[in-house]
Amino acid sequence: MSGTLITGISELVTCDPSLGEGPLGIIRDAEILIQDGKIAAIGPVTTLGSAGFSDDFSRQEVGGRAVIPGFVDSHTHLLFAGDRAAEFTARLAGEPYTAGGIHTTVAATRAASDAELRAQAARLVTEAQAQGTTTLEIKTGYGLDVDSEARLARLAREVTPEVTFLGAHVIPAAYAGDPDAYVRLVCGPMLAACAPHCRWIDVFSEEGAFNVEQAREILRRGQEAGLGLRMHAAQLGPSAAVQLAVELGAASVDHCTFLTDADVAALADSDTVATLLPGAEFSTRQPYPNARRLLDAGVTVALATDCNPGTSYTTSMPFCLALAVRELGFTPAEALLAATVGGARALRRSDIGKLSPGKQADYAILDAPSWEYLFYRPGVPLVKGKTP
Ligand code: NIG
Ligand code: FE
């Protein structure tokens, strides 16, 4: 029987309160036994050692470091070409963000070869992994015609099973005079071409993008095609799209920057996760969402990067965690849970997000004795991947 015993863990964050101390389920002086990419056993050295595991398997000594579950980045748009650095700089000089910048990236993405797109995605995925991300979702949405969207869905599927069809990202210039014709294209041939590569469908419902009725139609058609639902809503202002997402049983409604009390109550009474994307507020200079209001109401909250060239060009979950505790009202433990268990819930995955027997062995070693260093030492590359 093959397997690896990871040993010398000063502090193991399981994110499963039934396994250890507090809401993070912390086990001190711990070991993890991994077999076939899954966690076979977990516990204090005394427990696993006395079961005789240490002799039967190869050992990996992590030297008194902390181990956390890998981050689940449940919202990215990392398949694109080109950049929008000039737009970012103009915004920092006072220009507002509008959904229109997406067209710039669509033009660059359509012009890029498959090889260029693959290389760009691989670079960003490697960057994300180096910062502790072990699962990521990728959206289409920089194609906006049938062939280009299908190409992005196919290329994204090479990287992750969590692919989201976002043909409804923005209305292309060619359809400016007849947005409903574009909605018909999205719901018809584009959905048919993309659905085989996708698990999810998403709509950017916002002023300048898709209205709530268009969003309803697109999500309904996606659901009929067997896709799970996600929604970008309330990024730039309050929107009825939040409650639409809840009504339709979406796995997640993302951004949630401008919520009404009724939105918060609807989310709290549902299985829909509120995914907060503070990298977007950082980069667009919008107000940050109030996570405290959601957490206190009992809403399940996730944190994700929203990695995209327009509003959040970061792959760093630790950066988003730093913003979450400093600007959104999370405690450090709540932020870590939102970036792991919350992300898993947002992707309706029960095999990731926690370190417990039977789950995938998706973990990150920190070059630090305790998990709190993730917050205590902002901007420092503490994540060591799977080897110390
Ligand atoms: O999540 N909101 C829509 N999509 C992205 C922005 C994409 C872009 O500006 O290129 C977001 O912020
Ligand atoms: Fe987004």
Side-chain angles (χ1 to χ4, degrees):
M1 213 194 297
S2 65
T4 304
L5 186 76
I6 303 175
T7 185
I9 303 171
S10 57
E11 199 174 81
L12 174 64
V13 175
T14 64
C15 287
D16 183 337
S18 72
L19 293 179
E21 288 165 37
L24 292 175
I26 293 173
I27 306 173
R28 292 178 206 285
D29 198 10
E31 293 180 329
I32 312 175
L33 178 65
I34 295 172
Q35 281 181 289
D36 301 324
K38 291 206 160 76
I39 296 172
I42 205 159
V45 170
T46 43
T47 316
L48 293 199
S50 63
F53 285 130
S54 1
D55 300 330
D56 300 343
F57 299 93
S58 65
R59 294 167 70 93
Q60 186 190 337
E61 165 64 49
V62 303
R65 293 179 169 87
V67 169
I68 59 171
F71 298 122
V72 179
D73 189 352
S74 60
H75 182 141
T76 88
H77 309 244
L78 62 70
L79 194 54
F80 61 87
D83 75 37
R84 282 156 49 201
E87 183 188 311
F88 173 79
T89 304
R91 231 171 16 241
L92 291 200
E95 290 289 316
Y97 173 73
T98 64
I102 293 170
H103 297 297
T104 309
T105 303
V106 170
T109 304
R110 285 181 181 170
S113 66
D114 285 6
E116 286 164 340
L117 289 171
R118 277 195 188 100
Q120 163 76 345
R123 183 176 72 76
L124 293 174
V125 169
T126 302
E127 225 179 68
Q129 287 170 340
Q131 295 170 93
T133 298
T134 47
T135 300
L136 46 80
E137 178 263 16
I138 301 179
K139 298 174 199 301
T140 71
Y142 292 122
L144 307 189
D145 62 42
V146 174
D147 290 347
S148 305
E149 281 293 308
R151 175 169 80 129
L152 292 178
R154 175 172 53 77
L155 294 174
R157 188 67 187 80
E158 293 176 7
V159 178
T160 178
E162 303 296 346
V163 180
T164 301
F165 170 48
L166 182 60
H169 198 183
V170 75
I171 292 158
Y175 288 86
D178 190 1
D180 286 335
Y182 184 67
V183 172
R184 288 193 293 277
L185 182 74
V186 169
C187 293
M190 200 183 279
L191 173 62
C194 292
H197 309 290
C198 294
R199 181 166 179 231
W200 304 101
I201 184 167
D202 191 346
V203 178
F204 182 22
S205 184
E206 201 78 50
E207 187 75 36
F210 295 82
N211 66 35
V212 174
E213 279 323 301
Q214 291 166 334
R216 177 187 290 279
E217 177 63 7
I218 293 162
L219 292 184
R220 195 180 63 76
R221 296 292 291 271
Q223 207 160 31
E224 280 171 13
L227 302 181
L229 309 185
R230 326 186 67 74
M231 175 87 96
H232 279 72
Q235 176 182 6
L236 306 176
S239 167
V242 176
Q243 289 184 58
L244 172 66
V246 170
E247 177 198 324
L248 297 179
S252 180
V253 53
D254 297 30
H255 284 291
C256 290
T257 308
F258 295 90
L259 295 181
T260 64
D261 289 346
D263 293 339
V264 175
L267 284 163
D269 197 28
S270 78
D271 289 333
T272 302
V273 173
T275 299
L276 307 183
L277 310 165
E281 279 76 38
F282 176 84
S283 164
T284 57
R285 306 187 71 166
Q286 297 276 313
Y288 288 99
N290 179 352
R292 201 64 270 142
R293 188 177 171 213
L294 291 163
L295 292 161
D296 290 346
V299 176
T300 303
V301 178
L303 279 163
T305 63
D306 197 13
C307 177
N308 78 80
T311 61
S312 185
Y313 198 4
T314 182
T315 49
S316 174
M317 288 293 280
F319 172 63
C320 296
L321 290 181
L323 291 176
V325 295
R326 189 63 186 81
E327 305 287 351
L328 277 64
F330 283 88
T331 65
E334 287 166 340
L336 187 48
L337 286 168
T340 52
V341 181
R345 293 274 294 273
L347 294 174
R348 300 237 160 122
R349 293 272 300 268
S350 57
D351 58 331
I352 55 175
K354 295 181 183 181
L355 297 176
S356 59
K359 308 271 186 224
Q360 284 193 29
D362 289 352
Y363 61 91
I365 298 167
L366 301 183
D367 197 5
S370 95
W371 67 275
E372 289 147 308
Y373 274 57
L374 262 181
F375 302 88
Y376 176 43
R377 306 212 56 217
V380 175
L382 290 181
V383 174
K384 292 295 167 203
K386 287 195 166 187
T387 46

